[in-house]
Amino acid sequence: MIPGGGSYLDGLNDIQRQAVTNTEGPVLVVAGPGSGKTRVLTYRIAHIIEKGAAPWQILALTFTNKAAREMKERIEKVVGARANSVWAGTFHSIFARILRVEADKIGYPSNFTIYDSDDTKSLLSTIVKEMNLDKSVYNINTIRSRISSAKSNLITPRLYAENDELKTQDRMAKMPLVHEIYGKYTARCKRAGAMDFDDLLYRLYELLQSNPDNVIEKYRNKFKYVLVDEFQDTNHLQYSIVRKLVNYDKSLRNICVVGDDAQSIYAFRGATIQNILDFEEDFKKYNIKVFKLEQNYRSTEHIVQAANEVILNNRRQIQKKIWSDKGQGNKIKVIKAMTDNEEGKRVADTILEQKNRFHLGNSDIAILYRTNAQSRIFEEYLRRYNIHYRVFGGLSFYQRKEVKDMIAYLRLVVNQNDEEALRRVINFPKRGIGKTTIEKLSKIADATNQTMWECLPAVPASTRAKNSMGEFRKMIMSAKQRVDTANAYELATYVAKRSGLIDLMKADTSIEGMGRLENINALLDGINAFVEEDNLIDTESIPDKSLASYLQNIALLTDFDDKNNNGDFVTLMSVHSAKGLEFKSIYVVGLEENLFPSAMALDSKDGLDEERRLFYVAVTRAEQFLTLSFANSRYRFGKMRFNQASRFLEEIPPIHIESTGYIRSKSPANQAHQGARIVGNFKKPRTAQSSRLMVDPSTFKPNAPDEIQVGMKILHMKFGEGKVLSIDGGKDNRVATIFFQGVDNPERRIMLRFAKLQILN
DNA sequence: GTTGGTATCTGTGGA
DNA sequence: AGATACCAAC
């Protein structure tokens, strides 16, 4: 393909093309929702390759594995298999890969363990316990987030201890010793050869900062082109690393960041829009180019305009006009329900109706909620209606107990100093090593600055416990000896048997027990697939099929990364995880004060703005249909709570909202009484004709749905007289095809359960 | 050390 | 409501 004349450039609009072809020097792309951002990114990379750069000189950082995978697939379509050598991945996975190579330079083993948030929490709770602190005061999650944000802002335990502001905050929260916990936590992680998610970023920064053996040179020379997706969601630490890689003396500064300030939804974990402003400032003198993608190719106008109006309520934003030429489309439908249960039913009803009426497939539809706990009721009704669905973001496969147990064994084989893994399996299956022994072990380890594993032979304990620990040690060692000769799959199978896990599970013949065994087998299959899969990322490096590499890989996977995500199902997920996705029909549910916006966000303007951006993200996922719902009451924390409708509903101008179903009122209290009876009818875009009533309501007497039969002449409120041509579907789901005279599109498919039809003969 | 039952706590989002 | 921590009895 000839650069500049390639066919892949033809399908781009002017601005997109400029963003793709201006490959040299710093570029900021401000990309509104549905503006073809991924296209621009992938074509840009393809273009860079077409112009002669080697794929492995390109670094593309994303937030999710999914985004990375999608990008690679799309690059591959343009440039072929070379795409596999592009360094495209999440911040965490790319950095882990680099750290694996450079680990020794910062005092880590290359087979370091990655602690997930459970490991982090469990370690923190051990530390809090050991310090004899009250854990009802020293809330683990609070501590975790304090430490996380410290790392994200390049604050070491030492700097933390010297920071008056942070310490005052801690004192006010009645936990003055957070800095000490942070210090201990960091030391324990290091001793265990473990990095938590933040460390994957922080330790890389540290490496580039201290720069032993001028290691930074290697990566600066290697990565000639750097791209960052979802730049609005990067935190200070992430940008600091990027800056280290591209902003130095002789740098070509081929850096492209893509983002949308209006879609920044991760401030709570340290992301800052400041990065976009800083970026412009940092690269101003290097002829930075800014491109704004403002045309939305995804949604119809009512949706786009409603989103625009809502986001106007936020302060501070980059000026842009998002527009669509897809026509007005459908107005937004609002469902109000009395209870959370009714909300579930009404949403499911509407989905059913929409499927029949507009021939939508399940996969065209998504239900988005603020918190994962909301999924249950929708699941119930979808199941009842026999609509296939899939819930994302719950417990991922790798978080299941039996899978974690198995993985803990593998982690221990790879890295004996991994304390969280050791704690998890030292007495599972039960081998008589109890709490007191483990506590003793932990104390001695801490006192002698060794790991628990190292203290294992020396800890005073009962003969039985001693023997057990000896056996345990032997087992891990025997597996460890095979690390070099056996591949990851063989090794894992060996461990599964030798540890007694398999036998333990086989002994349990309950349904759940068999499920657990299945999961272990699925895990083993997964390891096998990993061994056989050809995952060359870099032509320079040999594929790494070691167990350590596998473990580091899966530590960064989430629920979304399961491969079998194709099929015709309705998608249920949190709004956060829906970012980047699009569906023909979107349901945003639970639009109530204290839920969406979340109660935690209500006390600050910043928090509220972020909630509003989150709502903006939710709304802009919709291509054609947008349905918003809320319930006046819902069960939370085991108690019934009453909430008013979300303020975001009020922020949508009424002209974008379908007139039925939702009576707008300044007094939400009144709505409760009016709302319950109003049944949702999903309407096509209204033409002048179809909105006119054909029948006098006072004389109209609808018959029961099951009385309607093929061949009957019937009367419909809006379409007038019609003849029933056929009926399909059974029981509650009967859909009639009816011919109405004098209506455009005279053949209508009507769901009998909802339609009011009067039999005429 | 292990088991099972009760008390207590928690409760946004995700790599 | 559900998960987890804690405690008493075996």
Side-chain angles (χ1 to χ4, degrees), chain A residues 283-294:
Chain A
F283 291 94
K284 211 195 238 151
K285 45 182 181 293
Y286 305 104
N287 191 24
I288 180 177
K289 296 195 178 72
V290 180
F291 302 108
K292 289 184 188 175
L293 307 178
E294 297 177 308

Side-chain angles (χ1 to χ4, degrees), chain A residues 161-377:
Chain A
E162 293 163 358
N163 187 315
D164 288 335
E165 198 188 330
L166 290 173
K167 292 192 46 194
T168 308
Q169 287 166 3
D170 286 340
R171 254 197 310 277
M172 297 216 293
K174 302 234 172 4
M175 15 190 235
L177 295 180
V178 171
H179 69 276
E180 211 171 297
I181 299 171
Y182 180 19
K184 279 181 194 283
Y185 173 76
T186 306
R188 294 277 279 262
C189 284
K190 181 126 195 209
R191 202 170 67 198
M195 299 199 201
D196 66 17
F197 289 131
D198 296 315
D199 286 333
L200 293 176
L201 313 180
Y202 184 76
R203 296 291 182 187
L204 181 66
Y205 175 82
E206 195 180 55
L207 174 78
L208 300 179
Q209 175 66 32
S210 60
N211 197 21
D213 309 334
N214 200 15
V215 61
I216 201 170
E217 196 74 13
K218 182 159 127 197
Y219 294 98
R220 282 176 171 171
N221 287 336
K222 174 177 172 57
F223 298 128
K224 299 276 195 268
Y225 295 88
V226 177
L227 301 92
V228 183
D229 191 14
E230 308 279 13
F231 191 65
Q232 77 281 355
D233 288 331
T234 52
N235 62 31
H236 179 64
L237 172 54
Q238 286 163 319
Y239 182 41
S240 300
I241 295 171
V242 170
R243 203 165 11 198
K244 280 220 167 289
L245 287 174
V246 296
N247 201 11
Y248 56 95
D249 225 10
K250 297 246 167 63
S251 172
L252 297 167
R253 295 188 172 80
N254 294 330
I255 166 92
C256 171
V257 304
V258 183
D260 178 4
D261 55 316
Q263 293 185 66
S264 159
I265 55 175
Y266 285 109
F268 74 91
R269 67 180 200 213
T272 165
I273 308 185
Q274 187 63 37
N275 280 349
I276 295 186
L277 309 175
D278 288 349
F279 183 80
E280 286 195 86
E281 194 56 36
D282 291 342
F283 291 94
K284 211 195 238 151
K285 45 182 181 293
Y286 305 104
N287 191 24
I288 180 177
K289 296 195 178 72
V290 180
F291 302 108
K292 289 184 188 175
L293 307 178
E294 297 177 308
Q295 180 172 3
N296 180 323
Y297 293 95
R298 175 184 300 150
S299 318
T300 46
E301 286 169 12
H302 278 305
I303 295 167
V304 170
Q305 285 162 13
N308 285 347
E309 289 289 330
V310 170
I311 205 68
L312 275 180
N313 291 290
N314 276 8
R315 314 155 295 179
R316 270 207 316 163
Q317 40 199 316
I318 298 177
Q319 282 292 312
K320 54 186 164 326
K321 293 185 216 66
I322 308 300
W323 59 281
S324 159
D325 68 355
K326 304 203 81 150
Q328 289 224 308
N330 305 288
K331 288 196 176 182
I332 298 165
K333 180 180 171 55
V334 176
I335 294 175
K336 52 181 305 184
M338 292 297 284
T339 64
D340 48 357
N341 205 50
E342 189 195 336
E343 181 191 35
K345 176 166 169 27
R346 295 270 297 280
V347 164
D349 282 344
T350 313
I351 286 177
L352 205 55
E353 188 194 358
Q354 207 173 51
K355 280 183 57 172
N356 283 311
R357 205 146 155 199
F358 302 105
H359 298 282
L360 297 188
N362 290 335
S363 58
D364 292 325
I365 300 168
I367 300 176
L368 309 182
Y369 33 74
R370 181 65 180 79
T371 69
N372 282 316
Q374 287 166 258
S375 72
R376 213 203 70 239
I377 295 174

Side-chain angles (χ1 to χ4, degrees), chain A residues 372 391-396 559-560 572-573 577:
Chain A
N372 282 316
V391 185
F392 291 86
L395 265 201
S396 91
D559 199 23
F560 291 94
L572 277 70
M573 57 169 58
S577 36

Side-chain angles (χ1 to χ4, degrees), chain A residues 466-479:
Chain A
K466 274 196 150 175
N467 283 339
S468 289
M469 284 190 284
E471 281 302 308
F472 177 70
R473 200 163 192 285
K474 234 192 267 169
M475 168 183 64
I476 299 295
M477 291 307 286
S478 82

